[in-house]
């Protein structure tokens, strides 16, 4: 029997597993150890399946994972979705309003494994390069025939957040919205994401635990930002990098080293010690 038989470790990508597009080698080695010891290692990310190819190339394989901030569960080993949620037609009007009122905001719509760009900006170009995305440019009218899992609005700067939040407040009945970010090219990028009403990493991971038959006490999670908050609260043992926002630091059970220093490896070391001493 392995140390982590029957265990699930859910891991955020940006700012947790990777920093500035680099996965520390110690993370790769410890994740391999975790899985060889019987554990299931799953991504829990705002990215969609079409935006994780570079991560999978480095890790080799992952267990079924939660994508799109909870609206998708995808199994790369079987190349199929285990679960999907979609943005309602009423909520799609938010995208059109942002196109009309905030012309500097880049817009990516994620549909299954497709990434569809309805407004290209330098931010969308940088994002696609950063996540090794093969995106397709498309007009708004044409994108309406697709099922939308989530939409990313890519801001030029943080000062645009109040304006987009004010518009989003009028659509809160139909969709949920999440602030996210990523460091690309050494600069912080600010994103505002739209997901189906009720979708979150927490709901997606609870569903994944059911699918994988994870028992109480065997669910671990690590993340660094506000979209990770509720998954950290629901995990049996949770961790965050020590440079996370204060609200995240307070929610996690333990604090580990920064992402660039191998936060995930640090957490797995902690879990290994806990399991062996139990």
């Amino acid at each position: 029997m392995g140390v982590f038989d029957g265990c699930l470790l859910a891991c955020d990508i940006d700012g947790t597993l990777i920093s500035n597009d680099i996965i520390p080698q110690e993370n790769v080695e410890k994740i391999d150890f975790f899985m060889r010891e019987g554990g299931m290692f799953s991504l829990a990310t705002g990215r969609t399946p079409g935006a994780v190819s570079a991560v999978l190339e480095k890790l080799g394989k992952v267990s079924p994972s939660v994508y799109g901030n909870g609206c998708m569960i995808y199994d790369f080993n079987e190349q199929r979705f285990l679960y999907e949620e979609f943005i309602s037609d009423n909520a799609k009007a938010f995208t059109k309003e942002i196109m009309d009122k905030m012309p500097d905001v880049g817009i990516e719509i994620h549909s299954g494994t497709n990434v569809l760009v309805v407004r290209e900006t330098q931010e969308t170009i940088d994002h696609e390069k950063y996540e090794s995305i093969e995106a397709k440019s498309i007009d708004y009218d044409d994108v309406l025939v697709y099922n939308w899992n989530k939409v990313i609005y890519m801001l030029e700067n943080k000062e645009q957040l109040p304006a987009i939040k004010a518009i989003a407040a009028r659509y809160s009945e139909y969709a949920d919205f999440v602030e996210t970010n990523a460091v690309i090219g050494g600069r912080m990028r600010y994103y505002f994401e739209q997901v189906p009403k009720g979708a979150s990493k927490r709901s997606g991971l609870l569903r994944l635990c059911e699918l994988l038959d994870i028992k109480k006490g065997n669910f671990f999670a690590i993340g660094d930002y506000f979209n990770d908050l509720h998954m950290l609260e629901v995990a049996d043992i949770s961790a965050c990098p020590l440079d996370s926002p204060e609200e995240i630091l307070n929610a996690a059970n333990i604090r580990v080293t920064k992402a660039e220093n191998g936060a995930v490896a640090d957490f797995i070391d902690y879990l290994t010690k806990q399991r062996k001493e139990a």
Side-chain angles (χ1 to χ4, degrees):
M1 290 182 59
V3 173
F4 293 110
D5 282 348
C7 294
L8 172 67
L9 171 53
C11 180
D12 171 57
I13 294 179
D14 299 287
T16 303
L17 176 66
I18 72 176
S19 176
N20 203 21
D21 206 21
I22 297 173
I23 304 178
Q25 184 59 30
E26 51 264 51
N27 283 352
V28 177
E29 293 171 358
K30 291 296 182 178
I31 291 167
D32 178 66
F33 163 77
F34 182 86
M35 297 184 77
R36 283 189 287 105
E37 287 292 325
M40 287 172 275
F41 180 84
S42 297
L43 301 172
T45 178
R47 300 191 191 195
T48 52
V52 296
S53 59
V55 175
L56 294 180
E57 183 178 340
K58 185 71 172 178
L59 294 182
K61 67 175 183 177
V62 296
S63 303
S65 296
V66 171
Y67 298 96
N69 279 318
C71 64
M72 315 160 86
I73 298 176
Y74 190 75
D75 185 347
F76 268 100
N77 296 318
E78 297 187 4
Q79 295 190 339
R80 68 184 182 97
F81 285 95
L82 305 182
Y83 179 79
E84 282 189 273
E85 294 180 58
F86 304 108
I87 291 172
S88 70
D89 289 341
N90 288 335
K92 292 179 180 179
F94 175 73
T95 304
K96 185 64 167 64
E97 188 164 351
I98 297 304
M99 292 185 73
D100 294 340
K101 295 183 177 178
M102 301 186 72
D104 296 328
V105 173
I107 303 174
E108 278 183 4
I109 295 173
H110 292 244
S111 174
T113 57
N114 297 306
V115 180
L116 310 165
V117 179
V118 295
R119 179 189 285 138
E120 183 178 83
T121 64
Q122 189 60 50
E123 292 301 323
T124 66
I125 293 169
D126 291 348
H127 182 251
E128 290 154 27
K129 183 178 179 181
Y130 171 68
E131 295 189 354
S132 300
I133 293 173
E134 293 184 9
K136 173 184 177 182
S137 294
I138 190 170
D139 292 333
Y140 178 80
D141 290 341
D142 292 331
V143 83
L144 291 173
V145 303
Y146 287 82
N147 290 319
W148 299 8
N149 296 106
K150 80 164 189 172
V151 187
I152 310 179
Y153 303 91
M154 302 184 181
L155 311 183
E156 285 193 322
N157 52 63
K158 190 176 183 180
E159 285 66 40
Q160 290 178 309
L161 273 170
I164 198 168
K165 282 182 175 181
I167 299 173
R170 293 190 283 103
Y171 292 86
S172 60
E173 178 183 354
Y174 307 113
D176 286 336
F177 299 91
V178 184
E179 290 180 53
T180 60
N181 59 40
V183 177
I184 301 176
R187 179 167 66 85
M188 183 68 75
R189 313 301 175 102
Y190 297 94
Y191 305 142
F192 194 71
E193 301 192 13
Q194 179 184 13
V195 297
K197 188 67 181 177
S200 68
K201 290 187 181 183
R202 176 188 185 277
S203 64
L205 285 166
L206 289 176
R207 187 169 284 110
L208 181 61
C209 284
E210 290 181 7
L211 290 172
L212 299 179
D213 194 27
I214 303 300
K215 305 300 184 186
K216 181 67 177 174
N218 291 343
F219 171 36
F220 319 128
I222 180 171
D224 75 302
Y225 207 60
F226 295 109
N227 61 329
D228 300 313
L229 176 62
H230 298 304
M231 84 165 181
L232 297 179
E233 291 174 340
V234 77
D236 295 305
I237 304 176
S238 61
C240 68
L242 56 80
D243 56 349
S244 302
E246 184 175 357
E247 189 173 358
I248 307 305
L249 292 170
N250 292 335
N253 297 125
I254 67 164
R255 302 172 185 183
V256 293
T257 190
K258 296 180 180 180
E260 59 264 33
N261 296 329
V264 179
D266 199 7
F267 187 35
I268 292 173
D269 282 342
Y270 172 85
L271 293 172
T272 303
K273 182 178 179 181
Q274 292 294 305
R275 300 287 290 189
K276 288 183 175 180
E277 291 179 353

